[in-house]
Amino acid sequence: MKEQQILWKLIAVYLVLVIGLIAMIAPFLWMLSTSFKSTKAIFRFPPDWIPAQPTLAHYQKLFETLDFLTPFKNTVIVAVSITFLSLLICSMAGYAFAKFRFPGRDKLFIGLLGTLMVPGQITMIPVFLLLNKLRLLNSYPGLILPGLASAFSIFFMRQFIRTIPDELLEAARIDGASERYIFFKIVLPLCKPALATLGIFNFTGSWNSFLWPLIIASSEKMYTLPVAIANLGGQYQTDYGLQMAGAVVVIVPIIIVFLFAQRYFIKGITLSGLKG
Amino acid sequence: MKRSLLIPLGFLAPALTLILVFMVLPLVVSFYLSLTNFNVAALLDYSLADFIGLANYQRLLRDELFWQAFWNTGYFVLIGVPSALVLSLLLAILLNQARLFGKNFFKVGYYLPSITTTVAIAVVWRWVLNPRYGILNWLLGIVGIAGPNWFGDPEWAMPAIILLVVWKGLGYNMVIFLAGLQNIPGHLYEAAQLDGAGRVKQLIYITIPLLRPTSFFVSVMTMIGYLQLFAEPYMLTDGGPLNATLSIVLYMYRHGFKFFNLGYASALAYVLFAIIFIVTLLQMKFRDKEIQY
């Protein structure tokens, strides 16, 4: 009797979870399905989920007529540069906060954490004016530089580096290792799990970033994918096939990264959630 | 002694320089800009911007569109944040059942939308919510409900945006709640069961109180994020229809980067900053009180 009750409860839980899961996944499936349909088939009602005559016409138009390869390339360049440079810069700073004593260290660190409260919109206008003065609008440095140093990443790396035993670093110093050697050959390799987690966060963050590229990249050859697709939505408002193909090009790479690295994602959020 | 100071400084230098140039100084400059009439003309020659004191802030108080954006954002936050919290907590509790198989599969599935690009997702949702050919209204039709004209209807445009934003962020909050749930010692539930407390009682007297630090973190972060609503209305409605989805950041973007009223836009940004600051402080106060009981 008791066993049966538990079984029914479990079935109810599964039912709710599965319905929820369908609601989470269905929009993506519909996006894929629509992107392979001819414009005529798209407006068939009621809709069919599997295109009767799949076509690549929308993708062809996207890459041949609208040159989506350029924003794709830009996004890859910007996201990869931000990811690696940011990891380097922020783990250096995290190392300094974790393993050195210097006057004002703790105050500086608290001040740094204070910048987490500052919304991006507030620094946007002065940075825009600065980059305008330096003629860095519509350039890779303009898209990359402002996104490199983040208080969160420094904090994250500091927390991790603190767990490395001091004796290990002292022993290396006694053996005559240079500070640079200690950082690159001892500290960084030990940080691999943290670097992987943070790197994936940074990568998806900059791949998805929208408002900043929208402001900095006003010329078409510097568009990133989110800006390009926003424009597509404006210009081809009713061409849903084309829009869905564009969405696929933006979304599918990030989903692939996610599926390969999902355990780092989950671990990373858990860390940021509990200790942030 | 001096050497020992130079080494950490060397490691800190790149990050601190970047934060100074792109974060700290802009924070100050932005406040100064909010006290000027910086506009398109000044974009060519920065010296053309004049100091006008608090005039931008005074104008803001009388600006009906700003107040519209303010209330819209408030509506969005007041409905959106609690919905997001309750739904993701319920999901986390369901997923935390001991006997459940395929937990990781569900986790990954629910988490999927939150890693994807907002702008692209917005395009997909415009299609999902298309009043005539969209799947949602098709589904509603099957159950016999005539779906609304979502983004075309001033009454329904904001609920549609809330639906999209909550849907997208569900998995992220769920994973944080799950981590919090796993930190609650199992023997508390066992003790409660022995005392005859049912599921609901366990939820109210054990889970929710012990989850408070997690809920605090999630609600603050969600609220800060929601106050900065931009990409969804930018993509889906451009603030319409009848300004029903105009958010503070969208209004700021319009003034700043469409009309290049950068002085006025800076004032708007500072007001947003102040709102975020106050809301965060209020939540902290609220939390302190709650813990004492």
Side-chain angles (χ1 to χ4, degrees):
Chain A
M1 186 64 192
K2 190 95 208 255
E3 274 301 307
Q4 215 171 14
Q5 226 178 0
I6 292 175
L7 188 71
W8 277 115
K9 258 185 196 161
L10 203 62
I11 290 174
V13 169
Y14 266 112
L15 201 66
V16 174
L17 285 176
V18 167
I19 290 174
L21 192 66
I22 292 173
M24 299 314 266
I25 305 299
F28 295 106
L29 298 179
W30 212 41
M31 160 187 88
L32 267 179
S33 152
T34 306
S35 77
F36 292 111
K37 282 182 191 168
S38 68
T39 306
K40 227 169 116 191
I42 285 171
F43 293 110
R44 192 167 296 147
F45 199 86
D48 23 68
W49 284 82
I50 296 164
Q53 291 157 308
T55 164
L56 285 172
H58 302 300
Y59 290 93
Q60 245 165 10
K61 187 172 178 190
L62 210 55
F63 283 102
E64 281 166 15
T65 326
L66 296 166
D67 188 25
F68 241 54
L69 209 57
T70 305
F72 194 88
K73 194 189 75 196
N74 290 339
T75 312
V76 171
I77 291 174
V78 171
V80 169
S81 318
I82 288 186
T83 304
F84 283 99
L85 289 173
S86 174
L87 282 184
L88 177 66
I89 289 168
C90 295
S91 51
M92 279 166 65
Y95 174 54
F97 279 119
K99 289 294 176 199
F100 290 91
R101 286 176 190 286
F102 52 90
R105 180 187 71 174
D106 296 339
K107 276 186 189 143
L108 192 64
F109 189 63
I110 300 232
L112 188 73
L113 291 184
T115 63
L116 284 172
M117 282 257 279
V118 179
Q121 293 85 1
I122 208 158
T123 52
M124 201 173 279
I125 290 168
V127 174
F128 171 80
L129 291 176
L130 174 71
L131 294 180
N132 181 33
K133 215 33 176 206
L134 297 173
R135 300 189 178 283
L136 284 177
L137 296 182
N138 287 308
S139 74
Y140 288 125
L143 285 166
I144 293 167
L145 282 175
L148 285 185
S150 102
F152 173 74
S153 301
I154 295 173
F155 172 77
F156 190 90
M157 289 314 296
R158 170 191 178 260
Q159 297 305 83
F160 195 84
I161 293 172
R162 267 156 66 106
T163 63
I164 298 175
D166 284 333
E167 294 79 33
L168 199 67
L169 310 180
E170 278 314 313
R173 276 194 192 105
I174 290 166
D175 288 346
S178 71
E179 288 298 329
R180 189 185 307 175
Y181 183 90
I182 292 174
F183 177 71
F184 282 103
K185 299 285 175 174
I186 300 175
V187 175
L188 275 193
L190 286 173
C191 288
K192 263 184 200 153
L195 290 171
T197 302
L198 198 56
I200 281 159
F201 268 150
N202 287 344
F203 183 79
T204 43
S206 43
W207 183 276
N208 293 337
S209 153
F210 176 54
L211 185 48
W212 187 244
L214 180 70
I215 288 163
I216 294 301
S218 51
S219 100
E220 235 167 276
K221 64 179 205 312
M222 285 310 295
Y223 277 3
T224 59
L225 280 174
V227 181
I229 192 155
N231 248 35
L232 197 70
Q235 275 178 332
Y236 297 87
Q237 191 128 44
T238 52
D239 194 339
Y240 286 107
L242 189 66
Q243 287 185 39
M244 291 310 112
V248 168
V249 172
V250 187
I251 288 174
V252 166
I254 209 78
I255 289 185
I256 292 172
V257 169
F258 170 65
L259 291 180
F260 274 105
Q262 32 105 353
R263 66 199 172 96
Y264 290 110
F265 270 98
I266 309 250
K267 203 164 58 187
I269 310 168
T270 314
L271 284 176
S272 68
L274 293 181
K275 296 178 184 146
Chain B
M1 200 62 212
K2 219 175 178 187
R3 209 183 92 89
S4 65
L5 186 64
L6 276 178
I7 294 164
L9 215 61
F11 280 112
L12 279 174
L16 287 190
T17 313
L18 286 167
I19 285 181
L20 196 69
V21 173
F22 292 114
M23 192 80 132
V24 180
L25 290 178
L27 199 60
V28 181
V29 173
S30 181
F31 185 65
Y32 176 74
L33 279 173
S34 78
L35 305 174
T36 69
N37 62 356
F38 200 108
N39 58 16
V40 179
L43 208 53
L44 298 171
D45 178 0
Y46 291 1
S47 65
L48 285 177
D50 291 320
F51 185 82
I52 53 168
L54 292 172
N56 281 329
Y57 291 94
Q58 282 161 350
R59 171 180 166 194
L60 211 138
L61 288 177
R62 280 177 278 116
D63 183 345
E64 273 175 33
L65 269 181
F66 163 72
W67 285 109
Q68 172 96 47
F70 179 87
W71 293 119
N72 287 344
T73 310
Y75 170 38
F76 172 71
V77 168
L78 281 180
I79 306 288
V81 174
S83 320
L85 289 181
V86 169
L87 280 175
S88 48
L89 178 59
L90 283 179
L91 260 180
I93 290 172
L94 285 184
L95 263 184
N96 201 35
Q97 311 270 323
R99 297 171 192 237
L100 208 64
F101 283 103
K103 264 186 205 177
N104 205 45
F105 174 74
F106 283 115
K107 238 195 229 179
V108 169
Y110 279 103
Y111 190 56
L112 193 66
S114 59
I115 49 133
T116 51
T117 319
T118 307
V119 192
I121 284 295
V123 168
V124 174
W125 271 72
R126 179 162 54 204
W127 180 219
V128 169
L129 293 182
N130 182 297
R132 279 191 64 185
Y133 304 101
I135 32 171
L136 191 61
N137 279 5
W138 167 67
L139 272 176
L140 289 174
I142 290 176
V143 221
I145 303 170
N149 181 13
W150 300 105
F151 297 119
D153 183 334
E155 295 267 316
W156 281 101
M158 191 55 104
I161 286 180
I162 293 173
L163 188 69
L164 156 59
V165 174
V166 169
W167 171 84
K168 190 172 185 295
L170 207 55
Y172 182 85
N173 287 339
M174 179 198 77
V175 170
I176 297 180
F177 273 130
L178 259 176
L181 286 174
Q182 275 150 14
N183 280 344
I184 300 178
H187 65 78
L188 289 180
Y189 292 106
E190 286 158 24
Q193 254 163 8
L194 284 179
D195 290 344
R199 288 265 153 152
V200 179
K201 279 205 166 148
Q202 291 177 30
L203 179 71
I204 294 172
Y205 293 109
I206 301 176
T207 310
I208 291 177
L210 284 175
L211 216 53
R212 195 154 280 149
T214 313
S215 321
F216 173 72
F217 173 81
V218 174
S219 57
V220 170
M221 295 313 283
T222 309
M223 197 173 278
I224 292 179
Y226 278 26
L227 282 168
Q228 299 176 45
L229 176 71
F230 169 74
E232 292 86 355
Y234 175 88
M235 279 304 293
L236 292 166
T237 56
D238 196 23
L242 300 173
N243 294 317
T245 54
L246 183 67
S247 70
I248 299 179
V249 177
L250 183 57
Y251 192 51
M252 181 210 139
Y253 172 82
R254 251 189 223 172
H255 269 290
F257 297 98
K258 239 174 163 175
F259 313 130
F260 291 100
N261 292 326
L262 291 169
Y264 193 53
S266 299
L268 280 163
Y270 251 88
V271 169
L272 176 73
F273 185 27
I275 294 172
I276 289 179
F277 196 77
I278 292 168
V279 163
T280 310
L281 284 186
L282 278 179
Q283 289 225 331
M284 282 179 164
K285 269 247 158 79
F286 183 62
R287 180 182 71 148
D288 290 344
K289 264 198 196 130
E290 292 266 298
I291 274 174
Q292 281 167 3
Y293 87 103

